[in-house]
């Protein structure tokens, strides 16, 4: 499978809607010569692709990013998180339509394989018990998602703020 990832050129157009309402499109070529992947499909020289970072930021635009640079770098290291976040956002918004959300990269100081993204539901203290039950439902639904890379599910969790 690594041979496919390193020998295929992917062409993608990314549109970013700015707060001012303007849109920019970037045509980006990802090829074996310029975009290197490790065994986990992570991009190792993404600094050459600013539109890729814009795409990630656009995907995360509905969340308050508590530590934006760390979040983006973690997603770049685990590209399957993009698909997971897009699907999880729909589930979360369905369960919590009136709440806002924050996203944080949480680093384990001793074991890097325990690093993860935590999506916080910024709820109401008066409804903590009901919200906690909904968070458990959300996490169950996320675990049931069928993704291209299911291994990223362990890198993401939902919690109350």
């Amino acid at each position: 499978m690594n041979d496919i990832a390193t020998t295929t050129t992917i062409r993608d157009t990314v549109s970013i809607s700015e707060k001012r309402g303007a849109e920019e499109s970037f045509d980006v070529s990802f090829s074996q010569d310029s975009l290197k992947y490790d065994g986990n499909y992570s991009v190792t020289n993404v600094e050459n692709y600013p539109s890729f970072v814009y795409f990630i930021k656009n995907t995360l635009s509905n969340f308050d990013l508590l530590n934006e640079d760390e979040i983006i770098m973690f997603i770049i290291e685990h590209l399957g998180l993009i698909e997971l976040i897009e699907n999880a956002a729909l589930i979360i918004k369905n369960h919590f339509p009136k709440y806002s959300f924050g996203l944080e990269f949480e680093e384990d100081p001793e074991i890097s394989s325990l690093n993860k993204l935590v999506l916080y539901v910024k709820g109401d203290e008066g409804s903590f018990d009901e919200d906690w039950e909904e968070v458990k439902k959300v996490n169950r639904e996320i675990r049931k998602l069928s993704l291209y890379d299911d291994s990223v599910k362990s890198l993401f969790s939902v919690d109350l703020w």
Side-chain angles (χ1 to χ4, degrees), residues 9-12 27-31 34-35 49 51:
T9 299
I10 303 168
R11 199 167 282 289
D12 195 9
D27 189 26
V28 183
S29 296
F30 300 97
S31 70
S34 58
L35 189 65
Y49 298 93
S51 62

Side-chain angles (χ1 to χ4, degrees), residues 1 9-10 33 37-38 40 45 52 57 62 64 72 74 84 89 93 110 114-115 122 128 132 146 153 157-158:
M1 194 177 276
T9 299
I10 303 168
D33 299 325
Y37 294 91
D38 67 13
N40 295 320
N45 64 335
F52 191 66
K57 287 182 180 182
N62 293 320
D64 294 328
I72 290 171
F74 190 67
L84 176 62
K93 289 176 186 176
E110 296 178 6
L114 297 178
N115 293 347
K122 297 180 179 181
F128 178 83
W132 184 246
S146 177
K153 291 177 186 175
S157 68
V158 178

Side-chain angles (χ1 to χ4, degrees), residues 1-17:
M1 194 177 276
N2 287 344
D3 291 338
I4 294 172
T6 58
T7 59
T8 303
T9 299
I10 303 168
R11 199 167 282 289
D12 195 9
T13 300
V14 181
S15 295
I16 292 83
S17 295

Side-chain angles (χ1 to χ4, degrees), residues 6-124:
T6 58
T7 59
T8 303
T9 299
I10 303 168
R11 199 167 282 289
D12 195 9
T13 300
V14 181
S15 295
I16 292 83
S17 295
E18 299 288 335
K19 291 182 180 177
R20 297 178 300 276
E23 255 188 39
E24 296 180 51
S25 293
F26 302 89
D27 189 26
V28 183
S29 296
F30 300 97
S31 70
Q32 66 180 8
D33 299 325
S34 58
L35 189 65
K36 305 299 180 196
Y37 294 91
D38 67 13
N40 295 320
Y41 300 102
S42 63
V43 180
T44 57
N45 64 335
V46 73
E47 63 276 1
N48 296 328
Y49 298 93
S51 62
F52 191 66
V53 175
Y54 290 132
F55 170 73
I56 293 170
K57 287 182 180 182
N58 190 49
T59 301
L60 304 176
S61 64
N62 293 320
F63 309 113
D64 294 328
L65 304 180
L66 303 178
N67 49 357
E68 182 175 317
D69 292 340
E70 290 87 353
I71 291 168
I72 290 171
M73 290 311 298
F74 190 67
I75 291 172
I76 289 168
E77 291 170 10
H78 307 281
L79 291 176
L81 281 167
I82 294 171
E83 179 187 15
L84 176 62
I85 291 169
E86 288 175 335
N87 285 288
L90 298 173
I91 293 169
I92 294 162
K93 289 176 186 176
N94 186 42
H95 285 271
F96 299 101
K98 296 180 182 177
Y99 290 166
S100 61
F101 311 99
L103 190 63
E104 180 178 32
F105 170 69
E106 202 172 84
E107 184 174 20
D108 186 283
E110 296 178 6
I111 305 170
S112 64
S113 64
L114 297 178
N115 293 347
K116 64 181 175 178
L117 292 180
V118 180
L119 191 143
Y120 291 107
V121 177
K122 297 180 179 181
D124 181 2

